[in-house]
Amino acid sequence: MGFWSNLKDKLFGTREERLAKKQAKIEAKEQKKLAKELEKNNKLDNYIAGLSKSNNSFTENIKELQNKHNKIDEEFFEDLEEILIMADISIKLVNIIINECKKEVKIENIQDPKLIGEIIADKLFTIYTSNSIIDTSLNVKKGRLNVILVVGVNGGGKTTSISKIAKKLIDDGNKVLIAAADTFRAAAVEQLDFWSQKVGASIVKPAQNEVDPAAVVYKAIEKAQNEKFDVLIIDTAGRLQNKVNLMNELAKINKVLGNKIENAPHESLLVLDATTGQNGVLQAKIFKEATPLTGIILTKMDGTSKGGIVLTIKDEIGLSVKYIGLGEKVDDLAEFDLDSYIYGLMKGLVD
Ligand SMILES: Nc1nc2c(ncn2[C@@H]2O[C@H](COP(=O)(O)OP(=O)(O)OP(=O)(O)O)[C@@H](O)[C@H]2O)c(=O)[nH]1
Ligand SMILES: [Mg+2]
């Protein structure tokens, strides 16, 4: 055996050992790829199931439109406009979509109504992205205490969404603390207690007769810092009876956070219930004035047949949907994925 191969054996093991190592590496890579594909399929299945109400209504309406018209003309577009508006897409966006579809139909000289599905899917995609990259990841970094503030009106799904996000972060290896800064409802704390136990997160509760949510936040920061938590998620009360109160309360929480932790909160997420449609857009505007927001969690998409609300929110509030609620189970909160959303919405129409 020559010097070189001896040296390599010394450094890296014998040729057989090296080959075995290589083989193991390839196998591990393939396994990883398979697991990723499986996860992707599961995710898509979640979207398909969660969006089935929207899908049924949207595809049925479009199919009816296609059967009613034997060519694409002005009347066809008028009916299409109505369908898009019924899907909770804002008038402004509907106008853009219709104009874009008209252009495409003209350029490609398309007359068959059966071909409109693919054109709509394509337009929904480009309008949502406006040719920019959509970032749905949470600003959670290793080596610091990350703070996620969650706001939104009563019953929107804050507490359940927080539990779902906590589970995801715990699965990723993070130590997660939840602050029950909802001091207005005793049941809110109980509910959070139940969920946090279920997903394996720790929780800080208000002291007896504590009414100040900022005090709970303060206590939670101390615990998080002392016990080296990776993420602190703050559940707030969903009262929207008075904008000034809301502003003051959130400002106080933000101040406590900012004083104790650099750049905190790192995420401020607004939870919106998709079934509230345009009313949700109004709420979002009020919250946006009350506190800086970094993203939206759009819950109960499984409960609405008007799936276009995702586009309206992005356009009217200027914030991306980071998570989408597709059901009540812990795994039913998905990171928002535009491809899966459009597929779920239009499945059966294009393929
Ligand atoms: N179907 C469905 N139900 C959901 C989803 N997200 C939340 N819910 C349900 O909505 C209800 C209210 O959710 P909560 O998490 O308690 O809402 P909240 O915003 O914390 O409410 P308050 O604490 O009263 O402000 C619960 O019954 C949840 O199970 C979802 O994506 N799909
Ligand atoms: Mg709650």
Side-chain angles (χ1 to χ4, degrees), residues 1-2 4-24:
M1 223 192 301
W4 193 248
S5 63
N6 267 339
L7 181 68
K8 278 208 328 209
D9 282 354
K10 232 162 91 190
L11 287 173
F12 309 112
T14 63
R15 183 177 145 75
E16 285 71 32
E17 281 166 352
R18 282 204 307 274
L19 280 178
K21 246 189 203 164
K22 229 179 215 171
Q23 176 89 23

Side-chain angles (χ1 to χ4, degrees), residues 96-195:
I96 297 175
I97 296 170
I98 294 285
N99 281 336
E100 288 294 315
C101 284
K102 278 183 180 169
K103 261 195 240 165
E104 180 101 11
V105 161
K106 199 170 167 194
I107 293 168
E108 303 286 335
N109 193 21
I110 294 166
Q111 278 152 20
D112 182 359
K114 296 273 179 296
L115 300 175
I116 199 73
E118 196 162 346
I119 300 174
I120 298 172
D122 178 48
K123 298 307 166 204
L124 295 184
F125 190 91
T126 39
I127 279 175
Y128 191 86
T129 58
S130 337
N131 297 320
S132 62
I133 295 163
I134 304 293
D135 184 15
T136 56
S137 61
L138 290 181
N139 180 13
V140 169
K141 291 184 184 147
K142 289 268 172 231
R144 72 169 187 201
L145 172 59
N146 298 276
V147 181
I148 303 174
L149 178 69
V150 180
V151 301
V153 299
N154 270 58
K158 288 181 297 298
T159 304
T160 24
S161 296
I162 284 171
S163 319
K164 292 168 177 176
I165 289 178
K167 178 171 185 296
K168 280 180 200 292
L169 290 167
I170 290 167
D171 287 347
D172 285 346
N174 293 291
K175 196 174 162 188
V176 177
L177 178 67
I178 303 174
D182 182 345
T183 51
F184 300 93
R185 247 179 1 108
V189 180
E190 262 166 49
Q191 186 195 12
L192 203 53
D193 230 351
F194 166 81
W195 274 105

Side-chain angles (χ1 to χ4, degrees), residues 17-48:
E17 281 166 352
R18 282 204 307 274
L19 280 178
K21 246 189 203 164
K22 229 179 215 171
Q23 176 89 23
K25 235 185 194 169
I26 292 171
E27 272 169 16
K29 225 182 196 173
E30 271 170 5
Q31 289 252 328
K32 235 183 188 171
K33 211 168 120 189
L34 215 71
K36 239 187 190 162
E37 249 163 49
L38 218 69
E39 197 182 304
K40 213 168 147 188
N41 279 344
N42 277 346
K43 196 176 87 184
L44 188 59
D45 285 345
N46 266 358
Y47 268 85
I48 292 171

Side-chain angles (χ1 to χ4, degrees), residues 167 193-201 330:
K167 178 171 185 296
D193 230 351
F194 166 81
W195 274 105
S196 57
Q197 272 177 30
K198 201 164 160 168
V199 302
V330 169

Side-chain angles (χ1 to χ4, degrees), residues 303-345:
T304 180
S305 55
K306 301 177 166 195
I309 189 73
V310 173
L311 296 147
T312 304
I313 284 171
K314 169 87 185 334
D315 183 57
E316 295 208 0
I317 308 164
L319 284 167
S320 294
V321 174
K322 292 207 169 189
Y323 280 93
I324 176 167
L326 298 162
E328 284 190 271
K329 292 195 301 298
V330 169
D331 288 324
D332 288 338
L333 187 77
E335 205 169 298
F336 181 67
D337 177 65
L338 186 59
D339 292 335
S340 306
Y341 160 71
I342 290 180
Y343 184 82
L345 186 66

